[in-house]
Amino acid sequence: MQGRLPPRHIRLNKDGGPRFVHVFLKPCKTFLSYFISLSLRKIHQTFPFSEGKRDRKRKCSTTTTKSQNFCRNEFNITGLCNRSSCPLSNSQYATIREEKGQCFLYMKVIERAAFPARMWEKVKLSKNYEKALEQIDQNLIYWPRFIRHKCKQRFTKITQYLIRMRKLVLKRQRKLVPLSRKVESREKRKEEKALIAAQLDNAIEKELLERLKQGTYGDIYNFPVHAFDKALEQQDHESESESEEEEAEEEVEQREFVAEDEVEESDLSDFEDMNKLKTSSDEEEQESSEGEEQQEESSDEEEAGASTSKSAARGRKRRAFVEIEYEREVEPVSKSRDF
Amino acid sequence: MDFTEVPVTSERKSKKKKSKKAGNKRMSEAENGESAGVEKKKSEEKMENGESSAAFPPTFSVSEIKNKQRRHMMFMKLKQEKRKQKLQLRKKKKKERAALGDKAPPKEVPKTIENQRVFDETTVDLEDEEIAFDEGTDEFSAYFNRLTNPQVLITTSDRPRGKTVRFCEQLASVIPNAHVYYRRGLALKKIIPQCVARNFTYLMVINEDRLVPNGLVLCHLPDGPTAHFKVSSVRLRKEIKRRGKDPTEHSPEVILNNFSTRLGHTIARLFAALFPQDPNFVGRQVATFHNQRDFIFFRFHRYIFKNEKKVGIQELGPRFTLKLRSLQKGTFDSKYGEYEWVLKRHEMDACRRKFQL
């Protein structure tokens, strides 16, 4: 174990005196003597930082926080900046480092201090935890217990985090997908335009009316579809002037009509509060129909009775209470019903 | 530097106004003081250049003016003139139309993106046999032959936050037979066999990002296709104006609009199979999936027929828009799954008139 013997040379000061206290020891391997020599060696090495205790920033690479100094040297064993754990200020030092899942024991002794390329001795540790601990023990057999202890601690921590890494890979991995701002804003704009082009309410209403016409609802709704078609045809043929003439006549007869409509409305009264529902159809139509409906509304409400929970309690009144007598399709419908 | 003296007052009023009339150079003494010397020289040169090429109609274009403010002014003027001309044209046409009355030619149909859509060869004809055969034997055939009832499991990504949780609850109220389960960090591949064992037909996973739902994975269960959507514009019930009361337990009807291609058809069937086959017409609720330009808008309404020609609808329930990102055969397997269709932005978004669904 040549490397372990104390140095045989003497360095001289400027005034000629010995710089180091050279301890002549027989090359005995007793723990105590070697320990003394090592500690003596250590005392006379200057810790490369300025003397004042208050100055927490060392001259080597450190990071300071409020309570601690961290050492950034990659060979540091504890990570803190101390006299005992600085690899620069200890000529005999050991660390554990990990590369790609493999742990290595690095050792530095003073005999190799002059050869920086060969300074650190690298020992590969076994993958078995206990065997690796034994290896550390063997390699650092007569070393100070601080370094041995810290090496083993560091090794334990490294193996633990390696185990955790392996476990995490097996679990679900979260994949972060970067969003491109341009693309997102472009898509947002396209969506808005598509929404406008879609005219959803109209489309839905059209579809529902289609289904009604095709009879998918069966007998639930008692609209006389036959009369409806007739009414459409009639409306096509009629011109406005004719309808105006008829309107004058109808006004006189309207009292009779009201009675008829009341009966019919009662059929529809199953659909409660339909006045309160919002439509997207013409407002004029709505107003006209409401002009009629207002007259029957009071009667409806008496007849309808309690509304079910399904109906909307929304009191949104689009209609202004304007009673305008427009000539719309509703009128000829009522007219044809008579026939 | 030869320049004609232009009356100072007119130039002063419109400081940077330029008139394009040929032969009118604007270097007046007043402007010398106002604009920077260098700028003036440059613009002068440009004016000279411009004027040399400026004949009426000008081959001179607005973009050749180097001075930004002047260029902007010129451009605005140009636009205004164009707008005025357009307005005049419209008025004229309207007058002609009114004058002709009934004999006027029919109104021209304006070009829309839907009109100009690039013809897609995978558009489905309703009578195509091959498609009918395919649809009779695909993964949804079990549903469409009334062999299974849909059971939907709704879950989220890890640690869902407020809006997502409420969105899930509201979705569960809209879709009958839907259950919400908290995802406890489980892997989807492990959840799926459990769902199959418990007879679920659908697995819906809502992905969340920054407190807001932004993705949806819809997996048809026995071994059905998995669709991954991007979710945007989520509006919960609170945020919808003029809405009705909460939806009831009746099964809603389903409206699927504008799914025209093969891919669109598949997606439409995917949505259709979420809901039970027999809607309760008494409930008068309708769920709509409307496809427009590859965006699928979901709405949930209650309707009422006022008469044969009028129906009123009232929005209940949440609304959101979906955009299909990928369709994968088989259940969820992002690494080894076989993708039927993936959104490739550079290919597919290049043309504005080309849509996939």
Side-chain angles (χ1 to χ4, degrees), chain A residues 187-203:
Chain A
E187 289 216 338
K188 203 165 152 223
R189 194 176 159 76
K190 276 193 190 168
E191 186 191 320
E192 286 167 11
K193 300 275 178 175
L195 184 62
I196 295 172
Q199 296 181 346
L200 282 170
D201 289 342
N202 289 346

Side-chain angles (χ1 to χ4, degrees), chain A residues 172 174 183-184 186-187 190-191 193-195 197-198 200-201 203-205 207-209 211-212 216-217 220-221 223-225 228 232 268 271-272 274-275 277-279 281 285-286 289 309-314 316 329 337, chain B residues 114 158 183 185-188 209 230 232-233 242-245 248 250 253-257 281-284 286 288 290 292-293 295 297 299 301-314 321 323 343 345 349:
Chain A
R172 304 162 51 223
R174 175 164 295 192
V183 173
E184 292 303 309
R186 217 188 292 155
E187 289 216 338
K190 276 193 190 168
E191 186 191 320
K193 300 275 178 175
L195 184 62
L200 282 170
D201 289 342
I204 297 176
E205 287 176 7
E207 177 68 28
L208 287 171
L209 286 173
R211 288 190 183 181
L212 180 67
T216 43
Y217 298 126
I220 307 179
Y221 304 110
F223 298 127
V225 181
F228 168 55
L232 268 186
L268 305 174
F271 312 105
E272 330 66 11
M274 43 184 205
N275 297 326
L277 286 181
K278 164 188 121 153
T279 45
S281 39
E285 277 196 22
Q286 206 179 23
S289 56
S309 60
K310 287 182 262 162
S311 71
R314 200 127 282 270
R316 191 188 169 254
E329 295 110 354
R337 274 186 202 154
Chain B
E114 282 78 21
D158 288 341
R183 173 100 169 263
L186 303 169
L188 278 183
D209 175 51
K230 173 174 100 149
S232 46
S233 312
R242 299 189 273 269
R243 66 173 164 95
K245 285 194 180 156
T248 57
H250 298 96
E253 302 169 39
V254 181
I255 293 183
L256 301 159
N257 275 342
F281 294 125
V282 186
R284 285 184 291 134
V286 56
T288 312
H290 182 104
Q292 189 81 16
R293 304 181 192 174
F295 287 99
F297 298 101
R299 300 284 183 274
H301 291 279
R302 185 172 281 138
Y303 63 88
I304 183 164
F305 285 107
K306 294 193 182 188
N307 53 38
E308 306 99 27
K309 278 195 66 192
K310 258 193 297 182
V311 58
I313 55 173
Q314 190 179 46
T321 60
K323 186 160 200 245
L343 175 71
R345 200 169 43 87
D349 277 2

Side-chain angles (χ1 to χ4, degrees), chain B residues 209-247:
Chain B
D209 175 51
R210 293 219 200 137
L211 309 171
V212 136
N214 78 339
L216 174 71
V217 174
L218 193 56
C219 183
H220 184 78
L221 268 185
D223 39 25
T226 311
H228 175 43
F229 296 95
K230 173 174 100 149
V231 171
S232 46
S233 312
V234 174
R235 302 275 174 267
L236 301 177
R237 288 215 183 99
K238 274 203 295 190
E239 301 158 16
I240 297 181
K241 303 183 184 171
R242 299 189 273 269
R243 66 173 164 95
K245 285 194 180 156
D246 288 338

Side-chain angles (χ1 to χ4, degrees), chain B residues 16 23 27 39 57 81 90 108-109 166 171 176 194 202 207 216 253 257 269 272 282 285 288 304 311 330-331 349 355:
Chain B
K16 293 200 176 104
M27 292 307 124
E39 189 189 270
E81 280 189 33
R90 279 180 80 188
E108 295 160 37
V109 180
R166 272 175 272 145
L171 261 186
Q194 291 185 24
Y202 262 100
N207 188 48
L216 174 71
E253 302 169 39
N257 275 342
R269 284 160 73 80
V282 186
Q285 292 174 149
T288 312
I304 183 164
V311 58
T331 54
D349 277 2
F355 303 111

Side-chain angles (χ1 to χ4, degrees), chain A residues 1 25 54 90 103 120 135 140 142 152 163 177 182-184 209 230 267 282 315 324 327-329 334 336:
Chain A
M1 300 269 238
L25 286 179
R54 275 202 217 123
N90 290 314
C103 294
W120 290 94
Q135 270 180 311
L140 300 181
Y142 294 119
K152 286 188 211 163
I163 291 170
V177 176
K182 238 204 283 182
V183 173
E184 292 303 309
L209 286 173
K230 251 199 179 179
D267 284 342
D282 298 332
I324 304 172
E327 182 51 36
R328 290 291 155 186
E329 295 110 354
S334 58
S336 65

Side-chain angles (χ1 to χ4, degrees), chain A residues 59-320:
Chain A
K59 283 198 185 150
C60 47
S61 52
T62 56
T63 321
T64 5
T65 52
K66 271 194 204 160
S67 52
Q68 275 179 332
N69 290 339
F70 293 107
C71 179
R72 277 206 206 132
N73 190 311
E74 55 197 16
F75 285 100
N76 190 312
I77 194 161
T78 52
L80 305 173
C81 187
N82 291 324
R83 171 68 179 78
S84 50
S85 26
C86 183
L88 301 175
S89 48
N90 290 314
S91 53
Q92 191 181 36
Y93 199 76
T95 337
I96 306 280
R97 274 175 71 187
E98 175 256 333
E99 277 163 41
K100 295 184 196 170
Q102 265 287 5
C103 294
F104 297 95
L105 169 67
Y106 286 79
M107 288 179 286
K108 165 175 126 167
V109 291
I110 196 160
E111 284 85 10
R112 290 197 302 271
F115 313 108
R118 284 180 262 155
M119 197 147 68
W120 290 94
E121 183 184 339
K122 186 170 166 181
V123 174
K124 183 167 168 180
L125 295 174
S126 128
K127 293 229 178 178
N128 186 336
Y129 181 68
E130 282 103 29
K131 280 201 192 146
L133 284 182
E134 281 173 20
Q135 270 180 311
I136 294 176
D137 264 334
Q138 280 168 17
N139 278 311
L140 300 181
I141 188 166
Y142 294 119
W143 286 52
R145 77 167 92 93
F146 174 78
I147 289 187
R148 260 187 293 141
H149 185 233
K150 289 298 177 188
C151 274
K152 286 188 211 163
Q153 273 189 336
R154 193 180 168 92
F155 176 69
T156 312
K157 193 124 251 160
I158 288 177
T159 45
Q160 282 174 348
Y161 81 60
L162 285 175
I163 291 170
R164 208 183 312 144
M165 272 169 64
R166 275 179 250 136
K167 267 197 211 159
L168 277 179
V169 171
L170 294 175
K171 282 193 185 174
R172 304 162 51 223
Q173 316 246 20
R174 175 164 295 192
K175 184 174 176 193
L176 292 176
V177 176
L179 293 177
S180 157
R181 219 177 303 164
K182 238 204 283 182
V183 173
E184 292 303 309
S185 70
R186 217 188 292 155
E187 289 216 338
K188 203 165 152 223
R189 194 176 159 76
K190 276 193 190 168
E191 186 191 320
E192 286 167 11
K193 300 275 178 175
L195 184 62
I196 295 172
Q199 296 181 346
L200 282 170
D201 289 342
N202 289 346
I204 297 176
E205 287 176 7
K206 231 177 25 170
E207 177 68 28
L208 287 171
L209 286 173
E210 275 287 320
R211 288 190 183 181
L212 180 67
K213 255 203 231 173
Q214 285 175 358
T216 43
Y217 298 126
D219 284 335
I220 307 179
Y221 304 110
N222 287 327
F223 298 127
V225 181
H226 176 66
F228 168 55
D229 288 338
K230 251 199 179 179
L232 268 186
E233 287 171 48
Q234 282 210 343
Q235 186 218 339
D236 284 339
H237 294 313
E238 269 177 1
S239 61
E240 281 196 356
S241 55
E242 286 176 22
S243 55
E244 279 175 6
E245 289 175 16
E246 283 157 16
E247 190 195 17
E249 296 173 16
E250 276 166 24
E251 278 191 33
V252 176
E253 299 167 7
Q254 204 173 17
R255 280 174 205 165
E256 293 171 38
F257 273 110
V258 165
E260 302 273 9
D261 284 350
E262 241 185 19
V263 174
E264 303 208 358
E265 290 289 350
S266 69
D267 284 342
L268 305 174
S269 69
D270 292 359
F271 312 105
E272 330 66 11
D273 292 345
M274 43 184 205
N275 297 326
K276 295 189 184 165
L277 286 181
K278 164 188 121 153
T279 45
S280 53
S281 39
D282 298 332
E283 260 186 79
E284 290 178 333
E285 277 196 22
Q286 206 179 23
E287 280 171 15
S288 68
S289 56
E290 278 150 9
E292 281 185 351
E293 282 167 37
Q294 278 164 31
Q295 299 167 8
E296 294 115 11
E297 194 193 307
S298 48
S299 50
D300 258 355
E301 274 171 3
E302 290 164 26
E303 292 171 347
S307 53
T308 61
S309 60
K310 287 182 262 162
S311 71
R314 200 127 282 270
R316 191 188 169 254
K317 310 207 169 194
R318 255 240 225 141
R319 47 194 184 147

